[in-house]
Amino acid sequence: MKTYTKFLIFNFIKSFVFVTLVLLGLIIILNVLGELEFFKKLNVSNIFPIYLALLNAPSFIFDMFPFIFILSTQLFFVNIFEDNQIQIFKYSGLKNFQLIKIISATTFLLSILIIFFFYNMSSNLKSYYLELKLKYTADGKYLAVVTNNGLWIKDV
């Protein structure tokens, strides 16, 4: 693998991780606020809503991954154009199509890894989240979850 290819892949993954962490922080803050609102009349420890927010955050991140890929690609290109690195790559003989191929291949491989590993982890955490939250609701409204895949009903 050529040095410029490693450099481009590393910078793209760095921008992807940065955007993911920023959105994860925002999601956790919003989840904590939602959980605090849910548990305001119940007697639970202060750590429990934060724990539930952390359990629920990966499923929100998984839903936002297309948006994260778009933002990280934009951030990647802004960083390359900002430092005039694109000119250096063009003088070296790297064409725009080769740059797009490298970023597309990296995105494809990263998305395959996310689908196989991250999705399993986030769905397990979501199931555990729903089991924990079900104990604190009297009407059983957390027995059913509506997603893009349909209606999921937990059978007890």
Side-chain angles (χ1 to χ4, degrees):
M1 186 181 291
K2 295 182 181 178
T3 305
Y4 68 84
T5 307
K6 291 178 187 177
F7 176 77
L8 291 172
I9 291 171
F10 175 74
N11 278 344
F12 180 74
I13 291 175
K14 187 170 74 170
S15 66
F16 178 79
V17 168
F18 176 74
V19 170
T20 304
L21 289 177
V22 167
L23 288 177
L24 179 65
L26 292 173
I27 285 171
I28 288 173
I29 290 170
L30 291 174
N31 275 343
V32 166
L33 293 175
E35 297 299 331
L36 286 174
E37 180 67 27
F38 181 81
F39 288 111
K40 71 180 176 185
K41 294 182 181 176
L42 299 173
N43 188 15
V44 295
S45 73
N46 293 336
I47 304 273
F48 190 67
I50 297 170
Y51 178 65
L52 285 179
L54 290 174
L55 287 176
N56 199 22
S59 66
F60 283 116
I61 285 289
F62 185 78
D63 291 338
M64 293 183 68
F65 268 129
F67 183 64
I68 290 171
F69 274 111
I70 290 171
L71 285 178
S72 59
T73 304
Q74 288 178 340
L75 181 65
F76 169 76
F77 281 113
V78 164
N79 287 338
I80 283 185
F81 282 117
E82 192 174 82
D83 296 337
N84 288 330
Q85 294 172 358
I86 194 75
Q87 297 299 330
I88 296 169
F89 289 132
K90 286 189 179 193
Y91 291 141
S92 308
L94 182 69
K95 296 181 175 143
N96 289 340
F97 185 70
Q98 291 171 322
L99 179 66
I100 297 298
K101 272 192 343 186
I102 293 168
I103 298 304
S104 298
T106 305
T107 300
F108 181 74
L109 292 175
L110 201 57
S111 63
I112 293 295
L113 290 173
I114 286 170
I115 288 171
F116 281 119
F117 297 111
F118 191 81
Y119 177 73
N120 289 329
M121 180 196 68
S122 71
S123 64
N124 289 337
L125 289 176
K126 181 74 170 187
S127 174
Y128 186 60
Y129 164 80
L130 291 173
E131 287 176 14
L132 287 177
K133 198 159 183 181
L134 178 65
K135 295 174 186 175
Y136 294 97
T137 181
D139 57 359
K141 72 177 185 177
Y142 289 98
L143 284 176
V145 177
V146 179
T147 65
N148 291 340
N149 298 332
L151 178 65
W152 293 84
I153 299 174
K154 183 171 179 67
D155 188 17
V156 180

